Amino acid sequence: MASPGALEPAAGSVPGTKVELTVSCRNLLDMDTFSKSDPVVVLFVQGAGSSEWKEFGRTEVIDNTLNPDFVRKFVLDYYFEEKQNLRFDVYNVDSKSCSIYKQKDFLGQAFVALGEVIGSQRGRLERALTGIPGKRCGTILLLAEELSNCRDIVTMQLCANKLDKKDFFGKSDPFLVFYRSNEDGTFTICHKTEVVKNTLNPVWQPFTIPVRALCNGDYDRTVKIDVYDWDRDGSHDFIGEFATSYRELSRAQSQFTVYEVLNPRKKCKKKKYVNSGTVTLLSFSVESEFTFVDYIRGGTQLNFTVAIDFTASNGMPSQPTSLHYASPYQLSAYALALKAVGEIIQDYDSDKLFPAYGFGAKLPPDGKISHQFPLNNNEDNPSCAGIEGVLESYLQSLRTVQLYGPTNFAPVINQVAGTAAQVTDGSQYHVLLIITDGVISDMLQTKEAIVTASALPMSIIIVGVGPAEFDGEQGSGQRGVPEEGTGLGDTGAARTRGAERCCPPAMEELDGDEVRVSSRGRYAERDIVQVTGSRGRRAGGGGAGSGTRCPSALEQPPAGTAGGMGWPRDRVPCRGAGLEGRFPAVPAASSRSSCRSGTTWTTRATRC
């Protein structure tokens, strides 16, 4: 689960609105010998009153182009009364390696304030890229648009028939590109389908996109769809285009809709030109995306479980170099991470009783190795009273067990999964916090446990401490090339769900942002794992853990769509929360309605 960064406004500031930034680049440097660059843009933000740059998120990588239009957007909170500094770094990515931050892959950077983009004409700003002496690095184009409050999500599927043949030795490799119109007559990219190889009659896979990405809640806003033939060198051939709207697309809920694909140039040149094929909308369905707050208000109870790494790689607890070492003036790295997350999440746990386990230690009196021992030494009831109770039991265990190994995650994941499987009516959700120094020994078993747990109402937060700080949050000076980065991390659903972090390869695989975790041919039903470092957002702004920060794991709640918390849609909790399904029963064409109006559409499904 990737989670968004934060601009860390001054205390008491209230965001005026959410703003979506669309990014494009023009005339980038060509860094590849036998092809063009494969660019990605990384956004960094500065906290209020801070000179430190923190990674907020990344676009997708686009292969073989010097003029990319990125589908993935950045969604930021906008504070009118503050200057919010942004830095856009552009890199060339030659592989899916964890590290992209290399001097030779740097294509340029631009510094802007969010207010500059919003205040520019029509919310569109073009800025020259700099950072490579003696070279023109091209430009970056930023488009800002205020987001509506529409939370509906569309799932649709399309196919095409008799498209133009574009390949000399084959047919065509067609894909679709969706754009929404802007007030100035331009268009903003919002989705790309996959490529279907060597066919003039493709059937694309169903895809999901938020309504506010497709039309920002305006049902009559023009949606333009281009049809292209994919070419390996990035010079995709234009087949044709057609225009529609959300309102028109929604009619496919009751009937197929067929669109003619037209190529304006061919239409002008050929008198007998009819079309370049047709595209058929096979299916179109809408459901509502419930938020974490909706679930909590609906009565969902969070259950918080802690698992702490007691392996020998952490160092002897009595030595100052150990991650378990606590001086008279400072808590250990593990204790700080536990307080940072626990003190926030405990507010949503009514009984304040937290099962707490250790793993990777030899237990007295016989020295048996355990990967799931209760910190309070009570096998029948491993729960501790509050975070302070967990801390007390953790410190007591350090004095009685022997740090050993290996580092196995699967036993404690299976333990929590077993508990989560007992109640799947929507009333309970489990969060497992694993605090570790980063080296995992039972990768295959852990992946199997995660795949099984993905069907249950639970999420897993893995927090790295010490050398395993997974944030990849880099402070940077003028040059702005950070040290180590991460793998790339939404399908063009037109918003950034989160800042991708740098993880060790094994942890990156568990995080599942790019590729869903799989085991023995089975894929996880959901992305339930968040891997982060213990340096994310400051927890509570001070207090006992004044040096600690709340990991970005908590910035993305364990709920995406209504079915995303591990139970069927008909079990979504709505006890007094007004969580009736909000499928948009589209108004008559005569009334120009939209999600902006605040209308809630009560529908055929999910009534409580």
Side-chain angles (χ1 to χ4, degrees):
M1 295 181 190
S3 55
L7 292 184
E8 297 190 12
S13 295
V14 178
T17 186
K18 282 192 177 293
V19 173
E20 177 192 85
L21 289 183
T22 300
V23 182
S24 300
C25 295
R26 295 293 179 264
N27 303 314
L28 294 176
L29 291 172
D30 192 353
M31 305 295 282
D32 292 346
T33 305
F34 300 106
S35 61
K36 298 175 183 176
S37 294
D38 307 322
V40 61
V41 174
V42 186
L43 170 60
F44 293 85
V45 299
Q46 271 185 338
S50 170
S51 60
E52 180 184 7
W53 290 102
K54 297 180 181 178
E55 182 178 331
F56 180 88
R58 303 181 180 192
T59 65
E60 75 278 13
V61 177
I62 300 183
D63 294 337
N64 293 320
T65 181
L66 305 182
N67 301 289
D69 295 310
F70 296 100
V71 174
R72 187 171 301 167
K73 322 291 186 183
F74 300 115
V75 177
L76 303 98
D77 289 326
Y78 173 54
Y79 301 84
F80 175 78
E81 71 279 11
E82 296 177 15
K83 184 173 182 179
Q84 296 169 263
N85 293 320
L86 310 177
R87 190 185 89 212
F88 296 87
D89 287 5
V90 187
Y91 291 91
N92 173 42
V93 179
D94 292 319
S95 69
K96 293 187 177 180
S97 164
C98 180
S99 174
I100 68 167
Y101 294 140
K102 295 180 180 178
Q103 187 83 10
K104 66 182 181 68
D105 294 325
F106 183 68
L107 299 179
Q109 65 182 181
F111 295 85
V112 302
L114 182 56
E116 281 186 86
V117 186
I118 295 172
S120 58
Q121 189 173 14
R122 296 189 180 93
R124 187 184 302 273
L125 178 69
E126 184 171 1
R127 183 64 54 87
L129 293 169
T130 60
I132 302 180
K135 290 189 177 181
R136 293 183 178 181
C137 301
T139 60
I140 187 167
L141 292 86
L142 305 171
L143 176 65
E145 181 169 354
E146 178 183 355
L147 285 179
S148 72
N149 292 322
C150 183
R151 296 193 307 191
D152 294 328
I153 292 181
V154 170
T155 300
M156 69 177 88
Q157 183 177 22
L158 300 100
C159 70
N161 190 42
K162 297 182 179 179
L163 296 177
D164 287 350
K165 178 180 179 297
K166 291 291 185 178
D167 292 344
F168 187 77
F169 294 107
K171 297 179 180 179
S172 289
D173 305 320
F175 67 96
L176 302 177
V177 183
F178 287 68
Y179 302 86
R180 66 171 185 246
S181 62
N182 301 315
E183 292 182 359
D184 61 357
T186 60
F187 288 86
T188 299
I189 189 170
C190 55
H191 182 76
K192 286 182 184 178
T193 67
E194 79 282 7
V195 176
V196 181
K197 294 292 188 68
N198 198 32
T199 179
L200 303 181
N201 304 292
V203 179
W204 289 281
Q205 292 293 320
F207 66 90
T208 298
I209 180 172
V211 171
R212 69 180 188 181
L214 188 64
C215 63
N216 205 13
D218 183 348
Y219 294 157
D220 295 302
R221 187 171 184 170
T222 299
V223 176
K224 184 168 73 79
I225 302 174
D226 289 353
V227 186
Y228 284 94
D229 167 47
W230 177 86
D231 287 329
R232 187 179 300 276
D233 63 1
S235 59
H236 311 309
D237 300 317
F238 179 71
I239 295 176
E241 64 185 11
F242 61 94
T244 183
S245 66
Y246 175 87
R247 189 186 303 281
E248 188 174 323
L249 289 168
S250 67
R251 293 174 185 147
Q253 293 179 94
S254 57
Q255 63 185 26
F256 285 167
T257 304
V258 181
Y259 298 94
E260 280 194 306
V261 178
L262 300 177
N263 188 319
R265 286 188 178 181
K266 293 183 70 173
K267 188 176 181 179
C268 292
K269 290 180 179 180
K270 298 182 178 181
K271 292 183 179 180
K272 295 184 179 181
Y273 176 79
V274 178
N275 59 46
S276 295
T278 61
V279 169
T280 301
L281 181 59
L282 298 175
S283 64
F284 185 97
S285 61
V286 187
E287 55 187 40
S288 199
E289 181 181 42
F290 298 115
T291 67
F292 179 61
V293 174
D294 290 331
Y295 283 100
I296 296 299
R297 288 178 176 173
T300 299
Q301 175 66 46
L302 251 60
N303 298 282
F304 184 46
T305 301
V306 180
I308 297 177
D309 187 339
F310 278 77
T311 56
S313 57
N314 290 285
M316 290 293 294
S318 59
Q319 299 298 318
T321 54
S322 172
L323 296 172
H324 285 296
Y325 177 77
S327 74
Y329 312 103
Q330 179 75 41
L331 293 173
S332 70
Y334 277 88
L336 290 172
L338 174 60
K339 284 178 69 68
V341 181
E343 288 182 346
I344 291 177
I345 208 167
Q346 70 176 350
D347 292 338
Y348 301 99
D349 193 318
S350 59
D351 62 12
K352 303 293 188 293
L353 296 175
F354 306 129
Y357 299 92
F359 58 89
K362 282 186 175 182
L363 306 185
D366 55 1
K368 179 182 177 181
I369 300 173
S370 174
H371 299 288
Q372 184 194 329
F373 63 90
L375 296 184
N376 65 1
N377 204 30
N378 188 336
E379 293 283 354
D380 298 325
N381 182 15
S383 296
C384 302
I387 294 302
E388 292 303 322
V390 176
L391 282 170
E392 183 179 340
S393 297
Y394 156 66
L395 295 173
Q396 178 61 33
S397 293
L398 280 178
R399 291 190 285 267
T400 58
V401 305
Q402 178 187 348
L403 273 59
Y404 202 70
T407 306
N408 292 350
F409 289 177
V412 72
I413 293 175
N414 289 330
Q415 167 70 24
V416 176
T419 304
Q422 296 174 14
V423 181
T424 57
D425 61 359
S427 63
Q428 304 289 321
Y429 196 89
H430 295 261
V431 178
L432 169 61
L433 170 65
I434 299 176
I435 309 177
T436 180
D437 68 347
V439 181
I440 181 170
S441 305
D442 63 337
M443 188 63 176
L444 294 179
Q445 294 88 339
T446 295
K447 289 168 65 176
E448 176 72 16
I450 289 172
V451 169
T452 301
S454 67
L456 299 170
M458 68 174 286
S459 291
I460 302 167
I461 302 171
I462 302 176
V463 176
V465 296
E469 291 282 4
F470 302 146
D471 279 330
E473 293 175 356
Q474 305 293 339
S476 136
Q478 298 300 317
R479 183 63 183 82
V481 182
E483 296 169 2
E484 276 296 316
T486 130
L488 304 171
D490 181 283
T491 64
R495 67 176 179 179
T496 287
R497 277 195 172 307
E500 286 73 22
R501 296 149 311 283
C502 178
C503 313
M507 291 299 178
E508 185 175 293
E509 187 175 356
L510 296 183
D511 197 62
D513 286 333
E514 281 303 296
V515 180
R516 199 62 62 85
V517 176
S518 64
S519 175
R520 296 191 292 183
R522 292 193 304 143
Y523 282 85
E525 293 186 19
R526 301 178 296 130
D527 175 13
I528 66 169
V529 179
Q530 169 75 45
V531 180
T532 184
S534 58
R535 298 179 302 171
R537 179 183 304 214
R538 186 169 296 279
S546 60
T548 68
R549 296 192 176 189
C550 173
S552 58
L554 296 184
E555 293 171 1
Q556 181 183 342
T561 60
M565 289 184 71
W567 52 73
R569 169 171 282 281
D570 60 1
R571 294 179 183 173
V572 172
C574 41
R575 295 184 292 279
L579 293 188
E580 293 85 4
R582 285 194 266 177
F583 296 80
V586 180
S590 59
S591 63
R592 186 176 175 83
S593 250
S594 72
C595 290
R596 290 180 184 273
S597 66
T599 306
T600 298
W601 308 101
T602 305
T603 68
R604 57 190 181 275
T606 328
R607 288 278 190 113
C608 297

